[in-house]
Amino acid sequence: MGTLTNQRRMERGLSRDAGSMRGTLSMSEDSLPTALPMLLTMVEGPDRLPGEEESQEVLRGKLRILQADSTEVNALFMELSAHLLSINSEEKVIFVTFRTFEEIWKFTTYYTIGLLGQCMESLLLDQEFWLSSLDQEGMGIEVSIQEDTLNLMYKGILLQDGSLFASCSSNQMFDSSTSGGDLYLEQGDIAQFEPPFLDSGWTVLCLGDGARGTKPKPALEPVIPFYQWFLKSCAENILVGSGKPACDFPLQFARGTCLATADYIAEGPDELSVAPGDRITIVGLLVSCFDWFTGRMEATGAVGLVKTSLVKPANNICESADIFLDQEERMFFSLKEEQVIEETTALLKKTSENDIGYIYKLDLTNQQDSEKKTTPSGSSGKVDAEQPEIKRNIEIFIQGKVPSSHSTLTAVGTREDFVHATETLDPKAPCFTVHPVVVENSNTENLIPLLSFLDSSEYKPEFGVLYGQTPELLASSTFVGQSDEDELTAFLGVARETARKKRLYWSQSRLCFLLGKLCAGRSKFSQARVYFEEALNVPREGFTDVRLLASIYTNLAVIYLKQKNTEKYFSLVERFAALIMGIPDCIVSVENVSEVLKYVLKKAVLSHNKLAEARACFLLAKQHRRQNEGTSVVPYIERLLALSVEHSRTLNISPSQVYLSLGRLYSELSLPHLSVSSGRRASLHPSVTLSDCLSGLALVLENSSRHFGIRQQDSIPTQAAPFLHQALSFIEETAVGQNDGGRDHYHALSQVLTLCLSKLFQKHRMVGHAVCTMHGFINRSHPSQGLSVSERNDTLLWLGWLHIGNDQPDVAVDILNSVLASMPEHCTTPQEGLVLNMRGVALRCMGDLRRAAESYQAAIDVCEEFEDVPNWAVAQANLGLLCLKAGAKGLAERHLTKAVELFSELDEGRHELNFISVLLELGQHYVKQGQLQNGKGCYEWALLLAIKADHSDCQLSATRHLCHLYGTVSPDEAQCIIYNEHQLNLLRSRGDRGQEGDILETISQLYLSLGTERAFRAALDYTKRSLGIFIDLGRRKKEAYGWLQAGKIYHMLGQTELVDLYVQVAQDVGLSTGDTNFILKLLEAAGDVFFNSSQDRDKAVCFYRDRALPIAVKTGSVGTRLRLSNKLVELMLSLKLYGEAVEFAQITLDISIALGERLNERVAYHRLANLYHCLGQFELAEHYYLKTLSLCPTPLQFDEETLYYVRVYQTLGDIIFNDLKDPYDAAGYYHLALAAAMDLGNKRSQLQLCTRLATIYHNFLVDRELSLFFYQKARGFAADLNVRRINISPDQQYSSTSQYKATGQ
């Protein structure tokens, strides 16, 4: 109801808002709005209430994508007659503008009839939405616009155009410029206004009598845009004689009986004479705004025109809401259901041609991403629990007989057949021979055939052809034998005179009509007028041929209009209005009727008679459609729909059929978005029927290539899913109570609809839904219902394949066994091979490899028997893949190679997809076996085939295999970049922005690994491109890392002035996510940018210590706290901040002990020892070094551990000897270090240690023997290492701290 209210307010609002036009007259152009905001909201539920924030965020993400690439949205708004200005994704607002009032008219019409929201849904909603929302009523996008802003834009454009049509907002007088008195207009009167020129005031033209007047500041309100367009299109013939109702008749649109109130004598055969009290039955409709209506005297049965002002309502009269006069008129918008079913069935079969019945399936089910499968809640368990019932239903389904020929559906007819579905074949035009006119020859025998044919009081179909022919056709096909038109005119003139003398009044009337048409065709309008008036006034009792009467009225009205005889024109057109409001199809054969119908519509508009306006729009649409003027039909059907929305309770129209008619017209005019949206609106209306639903489905399929960017032959768009689902629901209800033939008819349609819907589910990894859909069809089926044996088996094969994909191979095996059992025992068929191959796939999924191999071999045998090479190749490949899973790699390679050989011998066809898949599998096998060249060859061959077949999915798969090969297995950065670039182009063409951003990130990392400045700059470019995508998609975490990566690259390039800016933005974006764990990781990564660099390392301290570490402490992230503390200790050591580093080293030690991580504990002890050593606290340093050594594993397993012992003991010796001045203890540490060095065989370490021991024993412990021993050992190592001199003098003693800092230990 909210939407309907908004739509009604829109139409009213465009003609009046706060105040009236008086409030805008003095506006300057600068104060007028130039942009109209469209607010989009995700809604759900039958009341279409705003959805949850999560769904609103999804909508924002889609709008962000459009902000970056507005090509698609620009194309849509061009179709909607608007111009895109900008998109505010955060506020979910799109800003558009308009340049002409026609654009505002079209845009507001689309909004009013509900197409705007449908177009936005098609543009913004994911493919999966249409499948996942099938059971969710009212889900979609609601569009709201600021009506006040639109009104101001509309008025501003009208003022710029100059002349405009508006209604008076109050009773007012105008200074008349055409008569002596003033011009008086009442409130609601519509007139043409021209803005003041200089100080002249506003000029007004009364549309009733053409009177003009002026007024400085009139009170006026512009009419709605449709009226503005329509009245401007009738500018040359804008007058209607009177804009007021013809009388005070209390009903605007009446049916029933009325009573005459005064005497009236008929002035012509088309009128009725009445007396007071006569009961007159209304023929068709009495419309109070017209002077006449068609009536029937109850007493005599005579039919003619009656003045509306001479009657009053009787007791049984009522207001009518039906603008149609008969069922044939009502069927103008509808199509025959049988033809719709046949056409749609053929179109679906062509669009979704199923290969399940003749192409073997390749066993790649293990590669499906099971995590992405979606199954209805509990459906898998339900199928398992009801497996016996499934078997029974399958058996019942298989028992079906071959249907009779009458139920076979084929595509018959075309769009034109649908349009004229209710029309009979056109009768042939009559033909007469013209004989020369001989003066004074009274022989009339040559005229007898013509006079006899024309002298009928009733209408005949042949007359309709005659009335509708142009003068040229009359002179060339209907009448033959004449030398020129003058001879034909003379012949018809003699015939007319003869008919007059013989009182053949109907012949006389029709001959006068033909003569009038010939004269009008030669622009002899005065002579033509005489003939037409004679045809109208020939004495007779009544005018029973209403089509002739309508033709005379129309042709005579056109002549009056050309001769500017407005009084007679108005009088005649009022009579014509009475005919079209009373008698259906009275203008079928009438020429030039559009101009007269426009008068009827103008009169209805000026009289504010909405029902009369609706019927006039219907007649104009019907007339233009009959003349194949699709562009001219659209405005009137749009207006008819708008009226049905505004007056849904008083206007009896089936909107669903009108929407579909409009959709077909949009399709013809290449407006795919509007066409599909019209079909969608039709399907959502309560009046929708099965044929309406199928017609909407046809619109989606016909416009799939232009609207959804897919080839119609390839697949069905997911936007078709709601139509498929709804049509199946209708069939389930409709087929109940049908006889066998009717059930067969619906059953065949149900099968193709079910297959199409299940394929959509399967394609989008909703296999569980596909299974349920197929079982629903099987359970509803009964034997002998519309399916051949082949179609039945194809259905079961597809169901079996779905069960395999749904991880239910045991159910699939049961189904396939049932199909095999139903086949002839002693006659092998190609379809038997299909079943055997699929059965092998199911058995392999069950783990029964032996039976699977037997089934594959049996399928191979069938292929060999029928020389079916493509399927033979698939079966060979399946056998090879089975061997791979069994571990028989050699046998697998032979089978796969054989399959490749068979595929390579085939011509181009439908086997490329399987060929590419087999090549990729064989390539993977080669790569795993280390045969990289063979693997690369298979991958590249697959890629070339995919490129040739223009199959983007296969290209993507092959390219990813090559990227993996060159990125991981056999690293080659250059080749990896090339193939990732190709993958990027493929993803861009598919519109997959998320994966495109990920690949851009990968390429950036590849360029970074090259290590050159040029590569760094290329990496920066790719990083910025990926960053833009992540911003558009609203992927805040990826965006934050993108900013950080760009800052890191700038740091590597030495552009330090930008680094802090990018890192700060990354931090701000990360904080906006509100994810504490992510923020913690991001801050650590920001610190790593500086930590892993050789410059500005001190900047890492603030990220680790001041930002990340407090968060880690608060969140209790012990691992992160340990890692950050370790980094801080290492960083502060390098920055010589020893005192500050001790605190964090102690923290790492405490955490490591608490976690029981011995390695981290050793590292913590070692770093504490280093720190205390640097701080000169040697006893603590010795303590922690010894603690470190106590945690080392024993016995030592690796050389690195032994080397660590050497260095630590040597450092301890240096501390004791140099700093604590204890040569005795120092010698002990040196001995331990020397023992480890000897075990390691490290001569340089032994040289250093022997030198130190020789020094101690020679100078401090005074042991000559040991001094000489170590000195000689040192000399030996010096000789081996080519060291020239050994110094053991006591003055070599110095502080171990300075030595430690100097050597950087």
Side-chain angles (χ1 to χ4, degrees):
M1 285 299 294
T3 302
L4 182 59
T5 304
N6 288 338
Q7 290 169 344
R8 290 176 176 173
R9 279 209 326 268
M10 163 60 65
E11 184 164 311
R12 292 195 295 268
L14 281 169
S15 62
R16 50 187 175 275
D17 62 354
S20 66
M21 194 69 177
R22 289 176 297 177
T24 65
L25 298 181
S26 61
M27 281 187 183
S28 65
E29 292 186 11
D30 294 337
S31 64
L32 294 173
T34 58
L36 174 68
M38 293 171 45
L39 176 63
L40 309 182
T41 308
M42 287 294 297
V43 294
E44 56 188 26
D47 296 328
R48 293 181 69 82
L49 298 175
E52 298 177 354
E53 183 58 30
E54 182 180 354
S55 63
Q56 308 300 338
E57 187 57 37
V58 171
L59 178 58
R60 290 189 188 97
K62 294 295 180 183
L63 290 172
R64 288 189 198 100
I65 296 175
L66 295 181
Q67 278 181 295
D69 183 6
S70 57
T71 304
E72 192 175 357
V73 71
N74 272 323
L76 171 61
F77 278 107
M78 285 183 63
E79 197 170 313
L80 295 174
S81 300
H83 304 275
L84 176 68
L85 290 178
S86 63
I87 300 174
N88 186 335
S89 57
E90 296 306 313
E91 299 294 331
K92 300 175 299 180
V93 175
I94 299 177
F95 292 92
V96 296
T97 190
F98 310 96
R99 295 170 186 163
T100 64
F101 88 86
E102 287 90 349
E103 291 179 344
I104 293 183
W105 158 48
K106 290 182 177 295
F107 184 83
T108 53
T109 299
Y110 302 144
Y111 177 75
T112 302
I113 63 180
L115 299 186
L116 198 54
Q118 301 296 330
C119 287
M120 291 295 105
E121 290 176 3
S122 296
L123 176 70
L124 295 170
L125 296 180
D126 284 333
Q127 296 288 307
E128 288 75 12
F129 168 84
W130 304 100
L131 293 170
S132 60
S133 63
L134 290 178
D135 298 323
Q136 300 178 18
E137 185 181 357
M139 276 200 74
I141 295 177
E142 190 81 44
V143 179
S144 304
I145 62 176
Q146 292 183 2
E147 297 175 12
D148 292 343
T149 302
L150 183 60
N151 297 337
L152 291 175
M153 295 176 71
Y154 174 52
K155 293 176 180 180
I157 290 176
L158 289 178
L159 289 174
Q160 292 174 2
D161 290 347
S163 174
L164 69 141
F165 291 91
S167 62
C168 294
S169 55
S170 63
N171 300 337
Q172 49 196 311
M173 301 291 292
F174 294 82
D175 296 334
S176 178
S177 57
T178 57
S179 62
D182 291 333
L183 173 62
Y184 174 70
L185 293 179
E186 296 180 354
Q187 181 178 357
D189 286 352
I190 298 176
Q192 186 176 16
F193 293 86
E194 294 184 7
F197 179 72
L198 299 178
D199 296 327
S200 59
W202 284 73
T203 303
V204 61
L205 171 66
C206 177
L207 302 185
D209 54 9
R212 292 183 178 273
T214 59
K215 190 178 181 71
K217 292 184 178 181
L220 56 94
E221 299 168 351
V223 295
I224 63 173
F226 171 78
Y227 293 167
Q228 202 76 238
W229 165 80
F230 173 69
L231 294 174
K232 286 191 175 186
S233 69
C234 306
E236 294 181 0
N237 308 306
I238 194 63
L239 303 182
V240 294
S242 173
K244 308 292 182 184
C247 62
D248 294 330
F249 199 81
L251 303 178
Q252 284 193 334
F253 218 60
R255 291 179 188 268
T257 305
C258 52
L259 300 174
T261 58
D263 283 313
Y264 180 78
I265 305 300
E267 297 179 357
D270 55 339
E271 299 178 6
L272 283 181
S273 297
V274 297
D278 285 347
R279 292 181 64 85
I280 303 168
T281 301
I282 299 170
V283 177
L285 296 162
L286 183 155
V287 184
S288 61
C289 62
F290 296 113
D291 295 343
W292 300 83
F293 72 95
T294 306
R296 178 185 292 109
M297 294 289 294
E298 284 193 357
T300 63
V303 177
L305 302 183
V306 181
K307 276 185 173 291
T308 312
S309 58
L310 298 178
V311 296
K312 66 179 181 180
N315 293 333
N316 62 342
I317 200 169
C318 63
E319 186 84 63
S320 175
D322 196 348
I323 65 169
F324 304 112
L325 299 181
D326 61 7
Q327 189 62 25
E328 186 175 347
E329 282 194 344
R330 195 181 307 280
M331 292 297 292
F332 171 75
F333 294 110
S334 63
L335 307 174
K336 291 182 68 176
E337 185 172 285
E338 293 78 7
Q339 287 183 311
V340 173
I341 290 176
E342 292 176 357
E343 184 85 1
T344 307
T345 303
L347 184 59
L348 285 172
K349 287 182 176 180
K350 177 182 176 183
T351 305
S352 64
E353 190 172 349
N354 196 352
D355 60 6
I356 194 73
Y358 54 89
I359 293 182
Y360 286 16
K361 289 294 185 181
L362 194 61
D363 183 10
L364 297 175
T365 53
N366 61 315
Q367 296 184 1
Q368 293 179 358
D369 186 2
S370 58
E371 293 182 2
K372 291 186 179 179
K373 294 179 188 174
T374 57
T375 306
S377 178
S379 66
S380 179
K382 183 179 179 181
V383 171
D384 292 337
E386 298 180 357
Q387 196 161 339
E389 184 179 349
I390 291 174
K391 290 182 180 179
R392 287 195 298 271
N393 290 332
I394 296 297
E395 293 298 330
I396 294 173
F397 185 74
I398 288 176
Q399 291 170 7
K401 301 175 183 178
V402 178
S404 57
S405 59
H406 75 272
S407 63
T408 304
L409 297 180
T410 56
V412 294
T414 61
R415 175 67 56 196
E416 287 72 20
D417 296 329
F418 280 175
V419 171
H420 304 292
T422 60
E423 295 182 9
T424 57
L425 294 175
D426 292 335
K428 293 182 180 180
C431 184
F432 301 98
T433 302
V434 176
H435 297 277
V437 175
V438 179
V439 182
E440 297 180 355
N441 185 356
S442 60
N443 185 7
T444 60
E445 291 182 1
N446 294 331
L447 302 175
I448 291 176
L450 176 62
L451 295 176
S452 300
F453 172 75
L454 296 177
D455 193 34
S456 171
S457 61
E458 302 296 332
Y459 171 79
K460 295 190 294 186
E462 292 82 1
F463 289 161
V465 179
L466 195 65
Y467 301 157
Q469 284 187 332
T470 61
E472 292 77 13
L473 280 175
L474 284 174
S476 61
S477 62
T478 303
F479 296 96
V480 296
Q482 71 274 16
S483 58
D484 53 25
E485 283 195 20
D486 289 334
E487 186 175 341
L488 173 60
T489 303
F491 174 75
L492 292 178
V494 172
R496 163 185 160 273
E497 186 62 26
T498 303
R500 184 184 65 80
K501 291 177 180 179
K502 292 184 177 184
R503 297 190 177 185
L504 301 174
Y505 297 129
W506 283 106
S507 296
Q508 182 184 349
S509 286
R510 292 186 176 105
L511 286 167
C512 288
F513 172 74
L514 295 176
L515 284 164
K517 287 194 74 170
L518 290 173
C519 292
R522 300 171 70 180
S523 299
K524 297 180 178 181
F525 297 115
S526 295
Q527 191 173 352
R529 175 175 56 80
V530 172
Y531 282 126
F532 286 134
E533 288 176 343
E534 181 181 337
L536 189 62
N537 294 306
V538 170
R540 65 176 73 79
E541 294 181 358
F543 222 117
T544 54
D545 187 351
V546 292
R547 285 182 173 81
L548 174 61
L549 182 60
S551 297
I552 295 172
Y553 280 162
T554 307
N555 285 277
L556 195 53
V558 170
I559 291 175
Y560 286 151
L561 201 57
K562 289 182 181 294
Q563 295 180 338
K564 301 187 184 304
N565 191 342
T566 55
E567 184 177 350
K568 286 189 175 182
Y569 171 74
F570 295 147
S571 174
L572 198 64
V573 177
E574 289 285 342
R575 295 167 179 264
F576 175 80
L579 282 186
I580 63 172
M581 293 295 173
I583 300 173
D585 276 341
C586 65
I587 57 172
V588 169
S589 56
V590 179
E591 283 189 289
N592 304 319
V593 74
S594 297
E595 196 64 41
V596 183
L597 287 174
K598 286 182 179 180
Y599 169 88
V600 175
L601 178 56
K602 281 183 286 186
K603 187 69 177 290
V605 168
L606 297 182
S607 302
H608 307 291
N609 192 323
K610 299 296 183 182
L611 291 168
E613 180 185 342
R615 176 152 180 83
C617 285
F618 163 70
L619 292 173
L620 277 163
K622 186 177 180 181
Q623 181 64 22
H624 285 301
R625 187 60 175 166
R626 186 177 287 116
Q627 297 171 355
N628 293 319
E629 299 171 349
T631 306
S632 301
V633 178
V634 170
Y636 300 109
I637 294 187
E638 289 175 343
R639 180 57 186 163
L640 188 59
L641 268 176
L643 287 168
S644 72
V645 170
E646 183 183 359
H647 303 279
S648 57
R649 295 183 179 179
T650 58
L651 196 59
N652 186 13
I653 295 177
S654 174
S656 60
Q657 295 177 353
V658 184
Y659 273 117
L660 289 170
S661 296
L662 190 57
R664 287 187 283 272
L665 289 169
Y666 286 144
S667 184
E668 292 173 9
L669 298 175
S670 298
L671 300 172
H673 294 87
L674 290 171
S675 178
V676 172
S677 298
S678 299
R680 179 70 174 148
R681 285 293 299 177
S683 70
L684 295 174
H685 200 273
S687 64
V688 66
T689 63
L690 173 61
S691 60
D692 296 339
C693 188
L694 295 177
S695 298
L697 175 61
L699 289 176
V700 174
L701 298 179
E702 288 170 7
N703 291 277
S704 59
S705 59
R706 290 178 291 179
H707 187 194
F708 310 113
I710 63 173
R711 293 189 294 274
Q712 183 174 342
Q713 302 93 305
D714 290 346
S715 60
I716 296 176
T718 55
Q719 281 80 355
F723 297 94
L724 295 169
H725 184 264
Q726 189 176 29
L728 285 171
S729 300
F730 272 117
I731 291 173
E732 190 173 350
E733 298 172 3
T734 309
V736 177
Q738 295 282 339
N739 57 27
D740 289 344
R743 281 199 298 267
D744 288 353
H745 194 57
Y746 288 113
H747 196 68
L749 174 63
S750 178
Q751 188 233 13
V752 69
L753 291 171
T754 303
L755 287 175
C756 291
L757 184 57
S758 65
K759 285 178 190 176
L760 282 176
F761 281 129
Q762 189 256 358
K763 179 181 177 181
H764 292 274
R765 300 186 181 277
M766 302 171 70
V767 186
H769 289 79
V771 169
C772 290
T773 302
M774 290 300 299
H775 276 292
F777 170 73
I778 297 290
N779 297 341
R780 291 192 302 270
S781 301
H782 298 283
S784 184
Q785 278 203 351
L787 297 180
S788 66
V789 173
S790 176
E791 289 174 328
R792 180 198 68 199
N793 289 344
D794 288 352
T795 302
L796 292 175
L797 281 170
W798 176 245
L799 178 59
W801 185 248
L802 290 176
H803 275 295
I804 293 172
N806 201 38
D807 297 329
Q808 297 168 322
D810 52 336
V811 182
V813 168
D814 290 339
I815 294 172
L816 297 171
N817 285 337
S818 298
V819 176
L820 279 175
S822 70
M823 293 182 172
E825 293 184 9
H826 305 293
C827 179
T828 305
T829 62
Q831 199 169 50
E832 186 176 343
L834 283 163
V835 181
L836 288 167
N837 178 75
M838 190 179 293
R839 182 170 172 268
V841 177
L843 289 169
R844 199 279 308 161
C845 292
M846 292 174 63
D848 193 342
L849 302 187
R850 183 186 61 80
R851 291 175 62 201
E854 292 172 355
S855 195
Y856 285 144
Q857 188 59 54
I860 291 174
D861 295 338
V862 173
C863 292
E864 289 187 76
E865 179 181 346
F866 289 96
E867 298 182 353
D868 187 354
V869 179
N871 287 331
W872 184 359
V874 175
Q876 282 284 358
N878 281 338
L879 199 52
L881 294 171
L882 183 68
C883 293
L884 272 181
K885 295 173 178 67
K889 297 179 180 178
L891 189 59
E893 186 175 326
R894 287 199 296 273
H895 282 298
L896 289 173
T897 305
K898 175 66 174 176
V900 170
E901 291 175 359
L902 291 171
F903 275 125
S904 62
E905 295 171 1
L906 296 172
D907 297 329
E908 295 182 7
R910 301 185 58 142
H911 61 273
E912 286 89 351
L913 181 59
N914 284 334
F915 190 8
I916 292 167
S917 299
V918 172
L919 282 171
L920 294 176
E921 289 293 323
L922 183 58
Q924 277 185 297
H925 167 70
Y926 281 135
V927 170
K928 290 177 182 177
Q929 297 301 307
Q931 303 177 42
L932 300 184
Q933 287 301 317
N934 289 342
K936 183 182 75 170
C938 289
Y939 291 160
E940 291 176 346
W941 191 358
L943 179 58
L944 289 173
L945 285 173
I947 292 173
K948 186 176 181 180
D950 193 23
H951 200 295
S952 61
D953 288 339
C954 290
Q955 286 188 61
L956 199 57
S957 181
T959 306
R960 284 172 175 166
H961 279 85
L962 285 163
C963 290
H964 174 72
L965 175 67
Y966 288 116
T968 306
V969 182
S970 178
D972 186 331
E973 288 83 358
Q975 290 292 324
C976 198
I977 287 173
I978 290 171
Y979 286 112
N980 271 293
E981 287 278 8
H982 183 60
Q983 185 179 357
L984 182 65
N985 293 331
L986 290 172
L987 292 171
R988 187 180 295 119
S989 66
R990 290 158 60 100
D992 193 336
R993 299 272 289 172
Q995 290 195 49
E996 183 183 344
D998 295 336
I999 296 302
L1000 285 167
E1001 272 190 323
T1002 302
I1003 297 174
S1004 174
Q1005 291 292 343
L1006 287 169
Y1007 274 111
L1008 280 179
S1009 66
L1010 296 178
T1012 65
E1013 182 179 349
R1014 183 178 178 184
F1016 290 164
R1017 295 196 179 279
L1020 180 63
D1021 177 61
Y1022 282 100
T1023 298
K1024 287 183 176 180
R1025 287 167 60 185
S1026 67
L1027 177 59
I1029 290 175
F1030 295 143
I1031 292 173
D1032 296 338
L1033 295 177
R1035 297 171 65 175
R1036 308 291 284 174
K1037 295 181 180 180
K1038 283 280 191 179
E1039 178 190 345
Y1041 275 119
W1043 287 108
L1044 189 60
Q1045 180 73 356
K1048 176 182 176 181
I1049 298 173
Y1050 276 123
H1051 189 69
M1052 297 168 72
L1053 290 170
Q1055 300 182 24
T1056 55
E1057 66 278 1
L1058 293 174
V1059 177
D1060 292 338
L1061 174 63
Y1062 277 80
V1063 172
Q1064 182 60 47
V1065 174
Q1067 183 178 340
D1068 294 341
V1069 174
L1071 290 171
S1072 69
T1073 64
D1075 187 339
T1076 306
N1077 292 328
F1078 171 74
I1079 295 169
L1080 183 57
K1081 293 177 183 177
L1082 183 70
L1083 291 172
E1084 183 179 358
D1088 291 344
V1089 171
F1090 304 101
F1091 179 79
N1092 296 323
S1093 174
S1094 59
Q1095 53 183 340
D1096 296 332
R1097 296 195 77 200
D1098 57 306
K1099 291 183 178 180
V1101 174
C1102 68
F1103 286 100
Y1104 292 154
R1105 181 186 64 194
D1106 302 334
R1107 300 178 187 178
L1109 193 57
I1111 297 176
V1113 172
K1114 185 177 181 180
T1115 58
S1117 180
V1118 180
T1120 305
R1121 187 181 173 195
L1122 176 61
R1123 189 171 56 252
L1124 289 170
S1125 298
N1126 274 321
K1127 290 180 179 179
L1128 279 168
V1129 173
E1130 183 180 344
L1131 187 61
M1132 290 177 174
L1133 269 170
S1134 66
L1135 297 174
K1136 300 182 180 181
L1137 302 173
Y1138 308 121
E1140 297 179 38
V1142 170
E1143 174 190 351
F1144 298 104
Q1146 188 63 51
I1147 290 173
T1148 61
L1149 177 60
D1150 295 339
I1151 295 174
S1152 300
I1153 293 173
L1155 295 177
E1157 295 185 2
R1158 300 297 292 271
L1159 179 59
N1160 275 320
E1161 188 179 346
R1162 283 169 55 194
V1163 172
Y1165 276 126
H1166 180 84
R1167 284 180 171 163
L1168 274 171
N1170 288 345
L1171 288 170
Y1172 284 123
H1173 189 186
C1174 294
L1175 290 170
Q1177 300 181 33
F1178 304 114
E1179 290 84 357
L1180 285 172
E1182 179 185 11
H1183 169 74
Y1184 284 113
Y1185 276 132
L1186 291 174
K1187 288 289 289 183
T1188 303
L1189 291 173
S1190 69
L1191 295 174
C1192 290
T1194 56
L1196 303 179
Q1197 298 177 358
F1198 305 103
D1199 291 345
E1200 290 80 2
E1201 293 175 344
T1202 308
L1203 181 60
Y1204 180 72
Y1205 267 86
V1206 173
R1207 290 180 176 174
V1208 172
Y1209 277 127
Q1210 184 176 341
T1211 302
L1212 282 168
D1214 290 342
I1215 292 173
I1216 301 301
F1217 180 59
N1218 296 323
D1219 298 311
L1220 297 180
K1221 311 302 182 183
D1222 186 348
Y1224 182 82
D1225 287 347
Y1229 286 126
Y1230 287 143
H1231 276 291
L1232 291 171
L1234 180 60
M1238 290 174 66
D1239 184 57
L1240 187 62
N1242 189 321
K1243 292 183 178 182
R1244 188 167 297 279
S1245 294
Q1246 293 181 61
L1247 170 61
Q1248 293 174 355
L1249 292 166
C1250 287
T1251 302
R1252 281 173 170 76
L1253 285 167
T1255 302
I1256 290 173
Y1257 284 116
H1258 180 75
N1259 297 304
F1260 300 99
L1261 298 182
V1262 194
D1263 188 331
R1264 301 295 181 180
E1265 184 179 349
L1266 288 175
S1267 173
L1268 180 60
F1269 173 78
F1270 286 113
Y1271 180 74
Q1272 289 176 346
K1273 292 282 288 185
R1275 288 291 301 271
F1277 290 125
D1280 292 341
L1281 297 172
N1282 199 21
V1283 176
R1284 295 182 180 180
R1285 186 176 176 219
I1286 298 174
N1287 189 351
I1288 60 173
S1289 62
D1291 57 0
Q1292 293 300 309
Q1293 185 178 1
Y1294 50 86
S1295 170
S1296 65
T1297 303
S1298 59
Q1299 178 186 0
Y1300 174 81
K1301 295 178 180 178
T1303 59
Q1305 289 181 340

